[in-house]
Amino acid sequence: MAAPARRLCHIAFHVPAGQPLARDLQRLFGFQPLALREAGGWRQLALRSRHTVFLVNEGAGPGEPLYGLDPHHAVPSATNLCFEVADAGAAARALAARGCNVRVPPVSVRDAQGAATYTVISSPAGTLSLTLLELAGPCGPFLPGFKPVSSAASPGWVSHVDHLTLACIPGSSPTLVRWFHDCLGFQHLPLSPGEDPELGLEVPVKSGRGGLRLTALQTPLGSAVPTLVLAESLPGGVSGQDQVEQFLARHGGPGLQHVGLYTSNILEAAEGVAGAGGQFLNPPEAYYRQPGKEKQILAAGHEPSLLARQGILLDGDKGKFLLQVFTKSLFAEDTFFLELIQRQGATGFGQGNIRALWQSVQEEAARSQEA
């Protein structure tokens, strides 16, 4: 591997001036301002919920925003993943030798908070870029070049990023798997016994036409990097009617479709988000009436009516369960969304929940077209 990733530092978004993402992250999801930089036409605000940091780059300057680049993308988007590496300069050279496009050669930043060096490379996933960051020591609450922002204590609905899901062009997963393995040290994480890394996990919809192909990747034990999930549409579905195809069309190509945020109490977190005005996708009406679903929920130690009230999905067996709930899009373009996830021993992503999410997105799209 050229530049093994040690941990995910932050996820960066690019939005036009006045777009409410930063406000919504605070008001709806309990994120709190961490550090701010205003320079060169950019307003860059880092927000945190425990170990999760989002960097909102607002505006468009004549140069590049610090620790990233301007993708000149047509719609608001999650455009950059920042990973810590041991040596940013060596990483840039090694990746360039592999043919990677080094968009920003190594840059050193130093202020009273500390020192850091970073480089930015293009990924094969559309406009998504990767920042590789080398820290020279403690850097204050965020990174050099940013001024700390004092704020009230966060409700702390979520603790850390559980996984990152990329919406991919059909057939592109094997290429992406090899790229993330060779460049950053990601390895195939089977989601089912005996899974072929070239094929991933196929999750057909109930009609038997179309569905999802999921391929999960993880870094070696000891690193603090979330699972990376590649999602692509299976052939046979109605063209343009599934959430991956809709993302590709509305986003203008592949990219980061959603971020799974871990919470130790999904019911409390969902109630907090909903109470602040956040909106979740509604599962199909029949989801909670499936044979055995009530028994399954009770076995996991939850009350079916409470989960149904917030639209929380539950999957698993043999004492290992997964709970998930999905927000509506954070952008008017109906692209990027967030997921709240709680794991009770489960390590996968729940095929039943995936099918329910699939149908929820379809029904939400149908309602939007009728409105």
Side-chain angles (χ1 to χ4, degrees), residues 169-297:
I169 296 171
S172 66
S173 291
T175 298
L176 290 169
V177 167
R178 286 189 291 271
W179 190 89
F180 278 101
H181 173 271
D182 294 344
C183 294
L184 296 177
F186 281 85
Q187 301 171 355
H188 177 236
L189 171 64
L191 296 176
S192 62
E195 178 184 316
D196 186 334
E198 289 287 321
L199 300 177
L201 172 66
E202 294 189 358
V203 184
V205 294
K206 288 184 177 179
S207 64
R209 299 180 60 193
L212 276 179
R213 184 192 311 280
L214 301 178
T215 308
L217 304 172
Q218 65 178 2
T219 52
L221 293 176
S223 63
V225 178
T227 300
L228 182 64
V229 182
L230 310 178
E232 63 176 64
S233 300
L234 290 174
V238 179
S239 178
Q241 294 302 305
D242 70 64
Q243 66 263 42
V244 173
E245 290 184 334
Q246 289 173 7
F247 177 94
L248 296 175
R250 294 166 179 168
H251 183 259
L256 189 61
Q257 182 209 36
H258 78 268
V259 173
L261 299 175
Y262 186 85
T263 175
S264 59
N265 189 328
I266 195 169
L267 187 60
E268 180 184 49
E271 288 178 343
V273 171
Q279 294 184 308
F280 294 106
L281 289 173
N282 296 314
E285 292 184 4
Y287 177 81
Y288 300 98
R289 298 197 302 269
Q290 296 177 81
K293 179 57 68 176
E294 180 176 353
K295 181 179 179 181
Q296 184 186 41
I297 293 174

Side-chain angles (χ1 to χ4, degrees), residues 318-336:
K318 298 179 181 179
K320 296 182 178 181
F321 299 96
L322 175 74
L323 296 95
Q324 299 163 284
V325 64
F326 303 89
T327 73
K328 293 186 178 181
S329 175
L330 273 60
F331 301 130
E333 290 75 10
D334 241 357
T335 51
F336 179 85

